[in-house]
Amino acid sequence: MLKLIGITKEYASGDEITTELKGIDLELPEKGFVSVLGQSGCGKTTLLNIIGGLDKSTSGKLLIDNKSTEEFKDPDWDAYRNTRVGFVFQSYNLISHLTALDNVTMALALSGITGKERNQKAKEALESVGLEKQAYKKPGQMSGGQTQRVAIARALVNDPDIVLADEPTGALDSQTSLQVMEILKEISKDRLVVMVTHNGELAEEYSDRIIRMKDGGIISDSGGNESSGSGCVPEVSDKLDIKGTKMSLKEALKSSYKNLLTKKWRTIITILAGSIGIIGVALVLSISSGMDTFINDMERDTLAAFPIEVRQNVQTDQITDGSPQEFLESDGDFPGDDIFHPYDKSGEVTDHENDIDGQYVDYVEKMDDSYYNSILYSYGLSKNILTETSEGKYKLVDTAGGSDDIMDPTALLGAEEVFSELPGEEKFVQAQYDVLAGKYPSGYDELALVVDKDNRIDDALLDAFGIEEKDEYDPEDLIGKEFKVILNDDFYQKSGDYYVGGNDYEKMYESGESLSIKITAIMRVKENASAEMLEPGIFYTHGLTEKIFDGNEDSEVVEAQRDNKDTSVLTGEEFNSENTYGSTMQFLGGDSTPTKISIYPKTYEDKADIRSYLDDYNDGKEENDQIIYSDLSETMSDAISSMVDTVSVILVAFAGISLVVSSVMIGIITYVSVVERTKEIGIMRAIGARKKDISRIFNAETILIGAGSGIIGVLLNSLLCIPASKLISGMIGMEFTVSLAAQNVILLVLLSIALTLIAGIIPSRIAAGKDPVVALRTE
């Protein structure tokens, strides 16, 4: 039972108010065929739209089964149109890019019916109007009569209580009109059919009841309209309970996908345009990824050759405890007052003494040897070496590469050593270096001369070791060159209370206690070596170090220094923070404690394990008792990575501008789609789609465009990576691979979807806000 009580409808046009319906009172039965006749503009279509919930009355009540619709919100009206009402329009109002079956199933999809049941019901509805063979045709492929029967099938598929037909035969020929009227008549046997028409003959022939309207009011009703008048208003206490509607994202995507297919070229161009920004960002990320890989490879192949070092004296960038300036440590903010403070800048850098004792050396020795290739210990030991020049004279070799005072233990600090110990085992060194001539040193008396990659030898090195300078050298000019290591008792002479180095070099050279050493190999870094871990110079084995310690440990000068812990027996000066008793004993060979430990990892990854092992030693120790190490490769790696990350962010920001531009363009195109699909919006609202569902349809369209742009963008980027790799490799002269990481592929596709979705928010809301009645009138 359908009741209209005092229904009025007014429209405002500027300052003028137009009254379309004037206090309509009407009661309609549960079933039957009711026709509403009247001239154009009399209000009959408006009346039909109010009954169907497409339009809302200005005043009055609409009762369904004696239950009120007065408190209905938009979702309630949407559900009402979907479940209780079916519309049949003069212009069919089918969605052009959907098949007949899809048009019918759309109403079911909004009802929440899914899968086989939905298709089965839709096919049954089409079969009921004789169109089972036309199920997969689109509206443009069918005749007007067939199209109108599809509209009737759509109106019936949810088994509504009311079918509202607005001029259903207005666009049909007479024969087809009769077929449609026969269908409507059959429908009216078990439900209410309300038809608005100009055709009085058809109304008289098929209708059970005819209502005539004029100027917004009812002038006659063949049914008597017994309920007209306020005295017939029933007691209404309940609100009509209707199941809500909802369009799934899947259905929205399906509808939008089919719409996009109808505009293939525009869709393709839009996707390509949207992919430009993705390509830009993808290329930057690909190059950045290639740079990360390049740096990682360089770290593994090059920086792995840099050892982790533990030195006796290191500097830390921190204010020491108890410093008077500690409370003034900068917090990064600018002061807000006009008070100024003095501070000692040097206080920000603290000297830390690492106590490298036997216990720590033992700890390092116990480290898992799978982490490292070699552990090299450096000592503050003075190596007094004599060489015989080509003129037959004897010369003291300057192993510190230019030190002014070989008697000063601090002179070696910071000096460039040209006479150094080989790091570790032969296998480790020969993995990086070729022996060009001679044999690799093995005994304490064997040396290796390391030349640079161009087979050059520094003039200063030749001069220091008394090697005659020539334009070029054959291997035999260098192999076999002999030197003598002079031990303390031959080198130092007592002068009063102090010891000084002697100057009778010939006597020292000929001493039977001197250690004879000679060059047995000429070596050069391999062409494919990851790094040059040995600077050009002359290198000796650890056996020579042990030999010198053994010869000097009980020497006269060492014993003298042991007996005097306050003053240096070499300079006569009291020990201070720079020249200490310990450093002097190490210099003289009386203390074999290493001044530096260099740990050469097997791989770059092993460095983390080594650092972790060294950190464990410091657990539970006071800050001053901790052993601090340094890792140059980590510092370099962090600096390079930070620089690459900064450049990448800047480039991505610039590339992101094109993303924003393309997103704005997609937003404009989505708005154009809204304008083009205004009629479809009205149709969807008429069959029960909510405002949210309309938004979802256009959001789905932007999702599809965004996904397409993202996928095309990363695919085109993959093609561009090939020439980009070759170009960059040619520019830097090394292999460089430009590639996009898998996680970035996913992120870029998701970013493209997100940006297009954001761009489509305003157009989708505009679409959702359209008046369904106005939208249905749009052509």
Side-chain angles (χ1 to χ4, degrees):
M1 182 71 70
L2 179 69
K3 295 181 181 179
L4 287 80
I5 304 170
I7 295 295
T8 64
K9 180 64 179 179
E10 297 177 344
Y11 293 100
S13 178
D15 294 332
E16 296 183 6
I17 301 296
T18 302
T19 302
E20 188 80 11
L21 296 178
K22 303 173 182 177
I24 299 294
D25 292 326
L26 188 62
E27 181 177 321
L28 298 174
E30 292 182 357
K31 58 184 178 180
F33 198 143
V34 178
S35 293
V36 180
L37 297 177
Q39 296 179 344
S40 296
C42 70
K44 57 186 184 295
T45 297
T46 301
L47 177 63
L48 199 70
N49 288 337
I50 289 175
I51 292 173
L54 275 177
D55 207 351
K56 297 175 185 177
S57 62
T58 305
S59 62
K61 296 181 179 180
L62 173 65
L63 305 181
I64 309 293
D65 299 334
N66 284 338
K67 294 184 179 181
S68 173
T69 62
E70 199 169 9
E71 296 181 5
F72 267 25
K73 306 297 183 185
D74 282 342
D76 298 316
W77 286 115
D78 298 332
Y80 169 71
R81 289 194 298 273
N82 181 256
T83 59
R84 303 296 295 268
V85 177
F87 282 95
V88 180
F89 300 98
Q90 177 181 351
S91 55
Y92 324 132
N93 285 346
L94 297 180
I95 299 174
S96 61
H97 59 268
L98 299 180
T99 63
L101 184 64
D102 288 335
N103 268 283
V104 176
T105 57
M106 184 62 73
L108 292 169
L110 291 168
S111 300
I113 299 174
T114 60
K116 293 182 179 179
E117 182 184 359
R118 185 170 65 192
N119 280 339
Q120 183 61 33
K121 280 194 170 187
K123 288 178 180 178
E124 289 174 359
L126 287 171
E127 187 177 353
S128 70
V129 294
L131 290 178
E132 62 273 15
K133 294 182 180 180
Q134 312 295 326
Y136 297 101
K137 288 184 178 180
K138 292 182 179 180
Q141 299 171 315
M142 295 183 287
S143 67
Q146 290 174 328
T147 306
Q148 188 62 290
R149 280 186 281 165
V150 173
I152 294 172
R154 181 183 62 191
L156 296 176
V157 72
N158 266 332
D159 194 24
D161 300 319
I162 307 166
V163 174
L164 303 177
D166 187 3
E167 298 284 0
T169 61
L172 304 176
D173 58 53
S174 57
Q175 184 63 35
T176 307
S177 295
L178 294 176
Q179 294 174 359
V180 170
M181 292 302 294
E182 289 290 344
I183 293 172
L184 293 176
K185 183 64 177 177
E186 185 65 25
I187 292 170
S188 69
K189 291 180 181 180
D190 55 7
R191 73 196 73 211
L192 174 63
V193 175
V194 180
M195 179 181 72
V196 167
T197 182
H198 288 94
N199 194 323
E201 293 180 4
L202 289 177
E204 292 287 349
E205 183 177 353
Y206 289 97
S207 300
D208 301 324
R209 177 177 171 183
I210 297 176
I211 299 172
R212 297 181 184 277
M213 294 185 66
K214 184 178 181 180
D215 298 333
I218 297 175
I219 57 174
S220 68
D221 184 351
S222 65
N225 196 17
E226 298 163 347
S227 68
S228 60
S230 59
C232 298
V233 178
E235 245 354 275
V236 179
S237 59
D238 296 328
K239 176 184 173 181
L240 188 64
D241 185 24
I242 303 174
K243 180 184 177 183
T245 61
K246 180 181 180 181
M247 172 178 278
S248 68
L249 180 60
K250 179 180 178 181
E251 287 301 321
L253 288 169
K254 179 180 176 181
S255 175
S256 295
Y257 174 72
K258 292 184 177 181
N259 176 65
L260 291 173
L261 286 182
T262 62
K263 306 173 182 65
K264 292 179 182 177
W265 287 110
R266 188 174 77 182
T267 300
I268 291 172
I269 292 172
T270 302
I271 289 175
L272 287 175
S275 69
I276 292 174
I278 295 296
I279 292 172
V281 175
L283 271 177
V284 172
L285 292 177
S286 298
I287 294 173
S288 177
S289 176
M291 182 61 73
D292 287 339
T293 302
F294 180 78
I295 291 173
N296 289 337
D297 290 342
M298 182 182 70
E299 288 173 343
R300 290 179 176 85
D301 297 340
T302 304
L303 298 183
F306 288 85
I308 294 175
E309 294 183 338
V310 181
R311 297 173 178 268
Q312 273 192 330
N313 185 277
V314 293
Q315 290 185 331
T316 57
D317 295 332
Q318 57 186 8
I319 296 178
T320 57
D321 292 339
S323 167
Q325 282 81 31
E326 187 172 4
F327 73 98
L328 292 175
E329 184 175 359
S330 174
D331 59 5
D333 296 328
F334 285 94
D337 55 30
D338 294 331
I339 305 301
F340 306 97
H341 312 275
Y343 87 112
D344 181 6
K345 186 175 182 181
S346 64
E348 294 183 347
V349 180
T350 302
D351 286 331
H352 179 85
E353 289 292 333
N354 282 327
D355 184 13
I356 305 177
D357 54 13
Q359 179 184 355
Y360 187 74
V361 172
D362 289 341
Y363 180 79
V364 172
E365 289 287 346
K366 291 177 182 177
M367 181 168 50
D368 188 341
D369 58 9
S370 66
Y371 295 162
Y372 61 88
N373 281 310
S374 176
I375 298 177
L376 177 63
Y377 298 96
S378 299
Y379 306 90
L381 175 64
S382 171
K383 295 170 284 292
N384 303 310
I385 301 173
L386 292 176
T387 181
E388 185 178 3
T389 66
S390 57
E391 292 85 10
K393 297 181 179 181
Y394 299 94
K395 176 181 179 181
L396 186 64
V397 174
D398 180 9
T399 60
S403 165
D404 292 331
D405 187 357
I406 63 170
M407 300 294 289
D408 183 0
T410 64
L412 293 176
L413 298 176
E416 181 182 353
E417 285 278 352
V418 293
F419 191 66
S420 307
E421 185 175 321
L422 284 167
E425 300 177 356
E426 177 181 347
K427 183 179 178 181
F428 171 54
V429 178
Q430 291 212 62
Q432 299 283 336
Y433 285 80
D434 287 320
V435 176
L436 302 179
K439 78 175 191 69
Y440 189 87
S442 57
Y444 80 89
D445 57 345
E446 296 178 334
L447 308 174
L449 170 63
V450 176
V451 298
D452 71 8
K453 64 180 181 179
D454 296 314
N455 284 5
R456 296 179 304 177
I457 308 170
D458 188 8
D459 289 339
L461 175 67
L462 293 170
D463 181 63
F465 281 87
I467 300 174
E468 181 183 3
E469 292 192 26
K470 300 168 60 176
D471 291 336
E472 57 185 37
Y473 296 90
D474 293 324
E476 54 266 25
D477 296 329
L478 302 169
I479 297 292
K481 175 63 178 176
E482 188 176 29
F483 312 97
K484 293 290 183 73
V485 178
I486 310 303
L487 299 179
N488 285 350
D489 284 340
D490 283 337
F491 186 76
Y492 290 103
Q493 298 176 359
K494 188 171 184 181
S495 176
D497 293 332
Y498 310 114
Y499 288 81
V500 297
N503 54 19
D504 190 349
Y505 295 150
E506 181 176 2
K507 180 181 178 182
M508 295 179 193
Y509 194 88
E510 299 296 338
S511 170
E513 299 298 320
S514 65
L515 305 176
S516 180
I517 56 176
K518 62 183 177 181
I519 296 174
T520 62
I522 300 175
M523 294 166 50
R524 181 185 65 197
V525 68
K526 292 179 182 289
E527 287 188 32
N528 61 348
S530 58
E532 295 185 51
M533 61 182 177
L534 304 181
E535 291 292 332
I538 294 179
F539 292 82
Y540 54 90
T541 67
H542 185 64
L544 179 60
T545 303
E546 293 178 336
K547 200 78 172 173
I548 296 173
F549 271 123
D550 289 342
N552 289 340
E553 184 177 10
D554 297 322
S555 63
E556 183 180 340
V557 67
V558 169
E559 291 295 341
Q561 189 64 75
R562 283 197 182 106
D563 294 336
N564 188 352
K565 294 182 171 54
D566 298 322
T567 306
S568 171
V569 298
L570 298 178
T571 64
E573 297 176 354
E574 291 186 359
F575 291 125
N576 53 47
S577 59
E578 293 183 0
N579 184 17
T580 66
Y581 169 77
S583 64
T584 301
M585 287 297 285
Q586 289 171 340
F587 180 80
L588 293 173
D591 183 355
S592 60
T593 302
T595 57
K596 182 175 73 173
I597 303 175
S598 301
I599 306 172
Y600 291 84
K602 285 189 174 179
T603 67
Y604 188 77
E605 288 76 10
D606 287 328
K607 285 198 169 189
D609 293 320
I610 295 172
R611 288 195 297 265
S612 178
Y613 181 80
L614 296 179
D615 287 338
D616 289 342
Y617 183 83
N618 293 325
D619 287 348
K621 288 183 170 59
E622 296 292 333
E623 183 177 347
N624 290 337
D625 296 330
Q626 293 181 0
I627 304 294
I628 299 175
Y629 59 84
S630 62
D631 185 359
L632 178 61
S633 64
E634 184 179 27
T635 304
M636 293 171 60
S637 174
D638 290 344
I640 295 171
S641 297
S642 177
M643 179 183 67
V644 171
D645 290 343
T646 301
V647 173
S648 297
V649 169
I650 293 172
L651 292 177
V652 167
F654 278 110
I657 295 174
S658 60
L659 270 179
V660 174
V661 173
S662 61
S663 298
V664 171
M665 179 201 66
I666 289 172
I668 294 171
I669 292 174
T670 304
Y671 177 72
V672 171
S673 179
V674 169
V675 174
E676 291 177 343
R677 299 174 69 183
T678 299
K679 184 70 170 284
E680 181 182 336
I681 293 170
I683 295 169
M684 293 295 297
R685 295 301 305 278
I687 62 175
R690 303 170 303 165
K691 290 182 178 181
K692 289 182 179 179
D693 298 326
I694 300 302
S695 287
R696 184 167 290 170
I697 288 174
F698 289 97
N699 287 335
E701 186 170 309
T702 59
I703 287 173
L704 291 173
I705 291 174
S709 297
I711 293 169
I712 293 297
V714 296
L715 288 176
L716 290 177
N717 173 73
S718 298
L719 295 176
L720 291 172
C721 283
I722 298 172
S725 297
K726 293 182 179 179
L727 178 63
I728 296 175
S729 296
M731 291 173 63
I732 65 176
M734 299 175 67
E735 185 177 351
F736 190 97
T737 303
V738 178
S739 63
L740 190 63
Q743 65 269 24
N744 287 336
V745 171
I746 298 171
L747 286 175
L748 283 174
V749 173
L750 293 177
L751 175 63
S752 179
I753 292 172
L755 288 175
T756 53
L757 191 58
I758 292 171
I761 287 177
I762 294 177
S764 66
R765 288 188 175 180
I766 292 174
K770 286 187 176 293
D771 187 314
V773 174
V774 176
L776 283 168
R777 293 173 183 164
T778 304
E779 295 296 338

